[in-house]
């Protein structure tokens, strides 16, 4: 366990709140201590109010802030005496407690205080640090957990039996009164929950947290319970795209909402899913109780997919029966599926949510595996987990999230995505909540967007093997394919038919036509499994209805592509897949056009560049964004009853009209 304190860095943070910011970030920088909001910190400081009176304020981590990046405004300023008074109440519902915490603040614009605020208040020390450190949970969640904690820490820590976080936990700790009962203690271990440390300076409290967690890690190493085992077997190499898309379809259908699904077949994930007792240990996990598993080592076929869906339905029914609120299937949708061949499969309403589920479960895997090596993993009884998950405050949080975006949980693939219309399509689809896979010859595609819901792949679309690999990667990363935007193409230099070589003709056909056939064929099995039906948008050209001299190969390739799309619309309608074509014209903000070419072209018609750009019926300039927005809308509900259509986006062309 690395102690990240640095005197020089720390010196830049003056005053108690700034010091609190500094060490909170140090804790947040270590995911084995703090993961996705799993910890909080506080400091008590005197402050003068508007009447000039001195008050003691508890600055405690506010909700919506991450310890790794927290700043001073991320701490909620609560009046300490109010919190201490609340702690003395014999009863308080958690909803009332959350309201009273808001009322206790000196600044109504500050973020809502952590629900663990009163725990920080009743500990008398100036600085209090709280984490859900993996090593501590590993010890408390193993056989004889409490005895191991005593063995490791002696009287350095106070031990608190498990109580659900909230006001009941406040009462339990207030009754223990650690400051009086164990004045020598430097921290407190909450069984099945986490650890607190405290001190008079930020450094003292932080150092103690690191030292305590270090003792737990050393213990695990001494007991040879630190190193994670290797996978027993590697699944046969080959495609997982079809089973993953089928699994996603089954679960999305039950949830009533498309979900992103990502599969991870690395060594650690496979080793865990291949454990002989995976069914037993994974069904009592602390972090994510809501998952289903398949333990048989058999190829995943339709029957097993249905089995997953059934397990999920059964899980939902049990939860719904116990819930005081009305649950939706989505509330109960599994976030993790463990499969000896598919590996660790994480699900979410967005790629970011799936990534959080993956992250949390990876820590769960370490905790369970190490606790099993120690002698056996012991989680909380299922009822406690259920109470936690459907705790009234958690439910309120879900409600606040609001309505999802139009394409939330859906996956789009765009070709020629590094520039021009393709690049704009990526932006339009991401803005509507889709996860997007962008293909391009240009390696810059891999860096186009740094976000969880974008996957950029360098790919030559005329290479069928490369296309197959791209589809497989898309399915492993996001679970399938709902939308396909066929945009990649070339616009060769102008050449009359009498001078056009067969080589050039063939090259244009390979890129603008053949590559699209190959991609449509490869994508069809996944589009068929799209929870809301597949959509294909073909970027055609004005040259289809109104060709120009010198562009025979280009015009013929786009005309053939349009015809291919029309036939696909006829054939794939029965699979619920819509295929529509856009015919843009004179889109000049693409890689094909430079200022120099524009000037030359404009001059050849006796026009200025401005006149040339708006040389259409409406006298408007058509941009990549205009085309992209229409392409995205064609995938949306407005076009849900349209297939086989061709729509111009050209400002009106007198030869087309
Ligand atoms: Zn906690």
């Amino acid at each position: 366990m690395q102690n990240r304190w640095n005197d020089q860095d720390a010196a830049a943070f003056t005053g108690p709140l700034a010091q609190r910011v500094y060490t909170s970030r140090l804790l947040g920088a270590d995911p084995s201590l703090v993961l996705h909001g799993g910890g909080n910190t506080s400091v008590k400081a005197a402050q003068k109010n508007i009447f000039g009176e001195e008050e003691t304020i508890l600055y405690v981590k506010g909700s919506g802030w991450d310890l790794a990046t927290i700043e001073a405004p991320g701490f909620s300023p609560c009046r300490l005496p109010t919190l201490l008074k609340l702690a003395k109440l014999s009863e308080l519902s958690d909803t009332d407690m959350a309201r009273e915490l808001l009322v206790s603040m000196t600044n109504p614009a500050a973020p809502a205080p952590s629900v663990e605020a009163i725990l920080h208040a009743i500990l008398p020390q100036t600085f209090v640090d709280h984490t859900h450190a993996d090593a501590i949970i590993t010890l408390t969640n193993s056989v004889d957990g409490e005895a191991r904690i005593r063995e490791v820490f002696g009287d350095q820590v106070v031990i608190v039996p498990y109580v659900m976080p909230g006001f009941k936990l406040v009462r339990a700790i207030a009754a223990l009164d650690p400051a009086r009962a164990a004045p020598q203690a430097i921290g407190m271990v909450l069984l099945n929950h986490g650890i607190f440390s405290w001190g008079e300076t930020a450094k003292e409290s932080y150092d103690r947290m690191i030292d305590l967690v270090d003792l737990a890690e050393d213990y695990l190493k001494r007991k040879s319970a630190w190193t994670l085992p290797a996978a027993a077997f590697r699944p046969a190499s080959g495609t997982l795209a079809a089973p993953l898309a089928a699994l996603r379809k089954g679960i999305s259908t039950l949830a009533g909402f498309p979900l992103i699904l990502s599969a991870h077949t690395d060594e650690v994930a496979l080793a865990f899913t291949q454990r002989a007792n995976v069914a037993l240990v994974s069904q009592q996990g602390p972090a994510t109780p809501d998952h289903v598993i398949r333990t048989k080592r058999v190829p995943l076929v339709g029957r097993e997919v249905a089995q997953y869906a059934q397990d999920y339905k059964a899980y939902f029914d049990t939860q719904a029966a116990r819930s005081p609120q009305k649950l939706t299937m989505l509330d109960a949708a599994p976030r993790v599926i463990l499969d000896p061949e598919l590996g660790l499969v994480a699900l979410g309403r967005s790629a970011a949510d799936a990534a959080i589920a993956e992250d949390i479960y990876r820590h769960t895997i370490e905790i369970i595996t190490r606790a099993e090596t120690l002698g056996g993993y012991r989680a909380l009884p299922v009822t406690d987990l259920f109470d936690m998950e459907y705790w009234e405050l958690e439910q309120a949080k879900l409600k606040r999230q609001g309505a999802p975006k139009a394409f939330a949980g859906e996956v789009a693939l765009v070709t020629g995505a590094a520039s021009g219309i393709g690049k704009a399509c990526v932006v339009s689809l991401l803005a509507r909540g889709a996860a997007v896979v962008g293909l391009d010859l240009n390696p810059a595609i891999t860096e186009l967007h740094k976000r969880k819901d974008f996957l950029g792949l360098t790919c030559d679309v005329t290479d069928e093997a490369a296309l197959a690999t791209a589809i497989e990667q898309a399915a492993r990363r996001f679970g399938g394919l709902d939308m396909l935007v066929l945009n990649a193409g070339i616009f060769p230099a102008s050449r009359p038919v009498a001078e056009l070589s067969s080589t050039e003709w063939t090259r244009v056909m390979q890129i603008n036509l053949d590559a699209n056939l190959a991609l449509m064929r490869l994508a069809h099995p996944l589009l068929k499994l799209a929870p809301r039906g597949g959509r294909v948008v073909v970027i055609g050209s004005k040259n289809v209805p109104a060709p120009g001299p010198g562009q025979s190969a280009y015009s013929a390739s786009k005309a053939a592509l349009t015809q291919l799309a029309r036939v696909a619309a006829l054939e794939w309608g029965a699979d619920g897949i819509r295929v529509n074509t856009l015919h843009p014209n004179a889109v000049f903000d693409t890689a094909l056009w430079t200022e120099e070419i524009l000037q030359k072209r404009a001059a050849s018609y006796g026009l200025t560049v401005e006149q040339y750009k708006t040389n259409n019926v409406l006298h408007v300039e058509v941009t990549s964004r205009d085309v992209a927005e229409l392409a995205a809308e064609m995938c949306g509900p407005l076009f849900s009853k349209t297939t086989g259509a061709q729509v111009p986006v050209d400002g009106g062309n007198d030869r087309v009209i």
Side-chain angles (χ1 to χ4, degrees):
M1 170 105 311
Q2 188 195 346
N3 187 318
R4 294 166 194 259
W5 178 276
N6 175 303
D7 283 333
Q8 230 172 337
D9 294 349
F13 294 83
T14 50
L17 183 57
Q19 285 279 299
R20 180 65 286 171
V21 168
Y22 174 62
T23 57
S24 298
R25 289 183 191 166
L26 299 185
L27 293 174
D30 193 331
S32 73
L33 288 174
V34 169
L35 189 67
H36 299 297
N40 41 61
T41 57
S42 70
V43 61
K44 299 172 188 81
Q47 191 186 283
K48 280 217 164 73
N49 66 17
I50 201 160
F51 308 108
E53 302 154 349
E54 193 146 286
E55 292 182 312
T56 309
I57 306 299
L58 176 85
Y59 289 93
V60 64
K61 196 205 117 180
S63 62
W65 286 81
D66 188 332
L67 285 183
T69 52
I70 199 161
E71 291 166 32
F75 286 90
S76 316
C78 303
R79 292 186 181 88
L80 186 66
T82 311
L83 301 193
L84 293 176
K85 223 169 149 185
L86 287 172
K88 294 208 167 78
L89 290 174
S90 56
E91 238 174 85
L92 184 65
S93 79
D94 289 336
T95 304
D96 288 347
M97 178 182 76
R99 190 194 59 233
E100 291 305 318
L101 289 178
L102 286 173
V103 170
S104 79
M105 292 203 296
T106 58
N107 175 7
S114 157
V115 293
E116 285 170 332
I118 306 179
L119 295 184
H120 288 260
I122 58 180
L123 297 167
Q125 295 79 5
T126 308
F127 287 85
V128 174
D129 293 24
H130 169 46
T131 71
H132 299 166
D134 288 352
I136 301 293
I137 311 265
T138 307
L139 291 189
T140 72
N141 288 29
S142 63
V143 167
D144 302 326
E146 188 173 344
R148 290 179 202 276
I149 293 290
R150 277 193 209 289
E151 183 189 341
V152 172
F153 298 117
D155 63 0
Q156 289 186 92
V157 302
V158 174
I159 297 177
V160 184
Y162 181 80
V163 177
M164 197 183 86
F167 193 70
K168 286 196 188 89
L169 182 57
V170 169
R171 292 300 307 159
I173 291 176
L176 279 174
D177 195 0
R180 203 169 303 174
Q184 79 294 339
I186 57 170
M188 175 167 79
V189 169
L190 279 60
L191 298 180
N192 304 94
H193 176 162
I195 180 167
F196 281 77
S197 65
W198 47 66
E200 287 316 312
T201 64
K203 183 172 191 304
E204 186 177 47
S205 187
Y206 173 76
D207 282 347
R208 285 173 171 177
M209 174 64 70
I210 300 302
D211 291 347
L212 290 171
V213 177
D214 222 8
L215 285 174
E217 289 192 355
D218 284 345
Y219 176 86
L220 289 167
K221 286 170 190 162
R222 271 204 318 278
K223 300 278 177 184
S224 310
W226 188 255
T227 315
L228 300 173
F233 67 93
R234 300 292 311 177
S237 61
T239 171
L240 296 182
L244 287 172
L247 184 56
R248 171 172 174 260
K249 160 99 170 173
I251 291 179
S252 297
T253 304
L254 272 167
F257 195 93
L259 289 159
I260 295 290
L261 176 156
S262 66
H264 307 276
T265 52
D266 52 279
E267 198 65 25
V268 170
L270 282 175
F272 187 72
T273 59
Q274 292 167 6
R275 289 186 74 93
N277 64 349
V278 65
L280 185 71
V281 293
S282 67
Q283 292 301 315
Q284 34 164 347
T288 47
D290 48 348
H291 59 264
V292 289
I293 57 153
R294 181 181 73 116
T295 51
K296 277 179 299 178
R297 188 190 164 189
V298 289
L300 192 73
V301 291
R303 195 173 52 77
E304 273 92 20
V305 170
Q307 187 59 49
Y308 272 130
Q310 243 174 43
D311 288 353
Y312 163 40
K313 179 85 170 58
Y315 171 81
F316 170 76
D317 289 343
T318 348
Q319 301 294 61
R322 301 166 58 180
S323 170
Q325 285 96 2
K326 208 173 141 46
L327 291 181
T328 66
M329 285 304 278
L330 186 66
D331 290 335
R335 296 297 186 258
V336 171
I337 292 173
L338 304 172
D339 182 283
E341 274 153 286
L342 301 178
L344 165 62
V345 178
L347 297 104
R349 293 177 79 163
S350 67
D353 285 353
I356 290 175
E358 177 206 343
D359 245 13
I360 292 176
Y361 208 78
R362 283 191 182 282
H363 286 260
T364 305
I365 285 177
E366 290 188 2
I367 290 168
I368 293 179
T369 307
R370 288 176 180 148
E372 278 289 296
T373 313
L374 269 191
Y377 176 69
R378 295 292 180 271
L380 287 172
V382 176
T383 47
D384 286 325
L385 290 170
F386 182 83
D387 287 347
M388 181 78 185
E389 196 182 348
Y390 297 105
W391 186 25
E392 54 198 88
L393 298 180
E394 285 297 313
Q395 289 292 307
K397 207 193 291 173
L398 275 176
K399 274 193 200 114
R400 279 198 302 274
Q401 282 174 353
K405 291 184 177 172
F407 296 160
E410 296 198 283
V411 188
L413 188 147
V414 180
T415 64
S419 61
I421 293 171
K423 188 177 174 181
C425 284
V426 172
V427 171
S428 294
L429 291 160
L430 286 173
R432 286 165 174 77
V436 181
V437 183
L439 308 189
D440 207 288
L441 256 186
N442 182 351
I445 189 68
T446 57
E447 304 292 318
L448 185 60
H449 295 281
K450 288 237 174 271
R451 41 194 284 178
K452 297 278 184 203
D453 51 3
F454 178 77
L455 173 64
L457 300 172
T458 312
C459 179
D460 176 355
V461 291
T462 62
D463 177 349
E464 282 195 31
L467 285 179
T469 305
I471 294 264
E472 176 71 11
Q473 280 177 277
R476 286 182 185 225
R477 176 72 176 268
F478 298 129
L481 194 58
D482 305 278
M483 295 167 268
L484 179 62
V485 179
L486 299 174
N487 165 70
I490 52 165
F491 187 73
S494 189
R495 210 180 303 282
V497 172
E499 290 166 26
L500 183 64
S501 73
S502 297
T503 314
E504 183 164 349
W505 171 268
T506 306
R507 194 174 74 91
V508 174
M509 288 297 166
Q510 278 172 344
I511 298 169
N512 290 5
L513 180 62
D514 303 357
N516 289 314
L517 168 67
L519 185 51
M520 286 169 80
R521 194 175 56 226
L522 287 163
H524 180 247
L526 299 194
L527 290 170
K528 236 170 103 168
L529 292 166
R532 286 182 180 157
R535 287 88 86 195
V536 180
V537 175
V538 173
I539 306 299
S541 166
K542 181 269 307 180
N543 281 34
V544 173
Q551 282 300 337
S552 54
Y554 179 78
S555 303
S557 70
K558 289 290 189 181
L561 176 60
T562 303
Q563 203 70 347
L564 171 65
R566 294 174 73 199
V567 176
L570 288 170
E571 292 180 0
W572 294 359
D575 301 323
I577 303 169
R578 301 188 275 113
V579 187
N580 291 300
T581 302
L582 275 180
H583 291 319
N585 188 36
V587 179
F588 296 115
D589 60 339
T590 70
L592 304 174
W593 294 89
T594 62
E595 202 47 41
E596 198 193 333
I597 298 176
L598 260 175
Q599 270 169 9
K600 254 194 205 160
R601 276 300 188 88
S604 74
Y605 290 97
L607 300 171
T608 65
V609 168
E610 197 46 40
Q611 284 168 333
Y612 181 64
K613 278 184 173 176
T614 57
N615 189 19
N616 53 48
V617 171
L618 294 171
H619 296 297
V620 291
E621 186 182 343
V622 181
T623 63
S624 294
R625 185 172 183 274
D626 295 322
V627 182
E629 284 290 293
L630 189 52
E633 281 307 306
M634 278 184 145
C635 296
L638 277 181
F639 281 77
S640 64
K641 296 182 182 169
T642 302
T643 193
Q646 300 175 52
V647 180
V649 46
D650 58 4
N653 183 292
D654 50 14
R655 289 179 55 211
V656 176
I657 294 171

